[in-house]
């Protein structure tokens, strides 16, 4: 990417703790600017976080994402260069992927290709990991294409599990990895 300043849009569907962590990480960075949060859920806590961080936050519907140019228009209005899916649960349609080739990344709370695909998000993933009696889990950061969790993998980090772990403790371990590595991987991907 040639332009020095890179404007990032963060897509989040719920709590938004990763979105907040990313905004805070780049607060004093002159080149990488998380400048917009987009959410498909009007009740998502990420909206409150955006207000507190003084970042514009726009709500859209799944239908608008699928069937209109609203999202593309917004991304153009904010001169967005790069998109980060941080706990975003809808599929990104092909027309958006085409406009941002290798410029959309997602974090998945498991070691893809295991525990990925439609319906595999958040706590559903951690419950499935527990039920499968996995001895490790982790995070996967990958480029986004128009299929759930299938784009090229950029980064993975593992964490060990014991049979005492619960879906809640697995979620905590995974979130800790996300907070530590996701902003760094964004910075590296944009450098
Ligand atoms: C994160 O653990 C993220 O990896 C996961 O949702 C959580 C959102 O937490 N994403 C997916 O499951 C995508 N398939 P947050 O809203 O507190 O950042």
């Amino acid at each position: 990417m040639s332009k020095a300043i890179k404007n990032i849009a963060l897509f989040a569907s719920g709590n938004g703790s990763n979105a907040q962590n990313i905004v805070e990480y780049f607060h004093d960075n002159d080149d990488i600017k998380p400048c917009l949060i987009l959410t498909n859920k009007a009740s998502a806590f990420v909206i409150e976080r955006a207000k507190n961080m003084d970042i514009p936050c726009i709500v859209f519907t799944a239908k608008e994402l699928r069937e209109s140019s609203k999202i593309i228009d917004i991304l153009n209005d904010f001169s967005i260069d790069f998109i980060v899916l941080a706990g975003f649960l809808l599929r990104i349609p092909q027309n958006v992927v085409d406009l941002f080739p290798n410029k959309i990344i997602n974090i998945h709370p498991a070691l893809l290709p295991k525990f990925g695909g439609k319906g595999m998000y958040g706590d559903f993933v951690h419950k499935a990991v527990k039920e499968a009696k996995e001895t490790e889990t982790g995070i996967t950061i990958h480029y986004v294409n128009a299929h759930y969790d299938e784009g090229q993998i950029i980064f993975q980090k593992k964490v060990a599990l014991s049979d005492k772990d619960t879906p809640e403790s697995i979620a905590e371990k995974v979130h800790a990895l996300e907070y530590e590595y996701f902003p760094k991987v964004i910075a590296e991907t944009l450098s």
Side-chain angles (χ1 to χ4, degrees):
M1 265 172 254
S2 48
K3 178 173 154 216
I5 297 177
K6 282 132 187 173
N7 292 328
I8 300 185
L10 296 159
F11 283 58
S13 298
N15 181 15
S17 68
N18 275 286
Q20 177 166 348
N21 181 53
I22 292 163
V23 170
E24 287 171 355
Y25 182 89
F26 290 108
H27 188 260
D28 297 320
N29 189 306
D30 292 333
D31 298 329
I32 298 175
K33 303 262 174 220
C35 59
L36 176 66
I37 293 178
L38 285 147
T39 185
N40 60 302
K41 209 165 167 214
S43 60
F45 188 63
V46 73
I47 298 170
E48 197 62 33
R49 292 184 192 266
K51 258 188 222 145
N52 294 337
M53 296 187 292
D54 211 13
I55 295 229
C57 183
I58 295 174
V59 181
F60 60 90
T61 64
K63 191 170 175 350
E64 284 169 335
L65 176 64
R66 273 194 323 267
E67 294 173 19
S68 81
S69 66
K70 175 171 172 165
I71 304 306
I72 287 172
D73 295 343
I74 292 167
L75 296 171
N76 285 333
D77 286 349
F78 281 81
S79 301
I80 295 301
D81 303 296
F82 196 78
I83 296 172
V84 173
L85 310 184
F88 184 65
L89 305 183
L90 301 179
R91 200 173 58 79
I92 298 293
Q94 191 67 52
N95 61 334
V96 179
V97 173
D98 288 345
L99 278 176
F100 289 86
N102 280 345
K103 292 177 187 168
I104 310 177
I105 64 173
N106 178 48
I107 192 159
H108 186 77
L111 298 168
L112 290 175
K114 282 180 156 183
F115 305 105
K118 192 164 193 232
M120 276 304 220
Y121 59 87
D123 291 340
F124 292 109
V125 175
H126 308 311
K127 281 181 191 141
V129 166
K130 173 73 189 168
E131 271 164 29
K133 299 187 175 23
E134 294 288 309
T135 56
E136 60 183 18
T137 187
I139 58 170
T140 303
I141 298 168
H142 63 94
Y143 287 110
V144 169
N145 61 25
H147 305 277
Y148 278 107
D149 303 327
E150 281 186 15
Q152 188 199 328
I153 291 174
I154 303 167
F155 176 88
Q156 290 189 305
K157 189 79 188 177
K158 292 176 180 173
V159 63
L161 299 177
S162 80
D163 50 12
K164 293 199 180 62
D165 272 304
T166 61
E168 292 73 27
S169 71
I170 297 172
E172 268 175 43
K173 286 180 174 180
V174 167
H175 267 119
L177 292 181
E178 293 183 332
Y179 301 150
E180 180 172 359
Y181 292 102
F182 200 14
K184 289 181 191 159
V185 172
I186 294 168
E188 276 165 29
T189 306
L190 282 169
S191 67

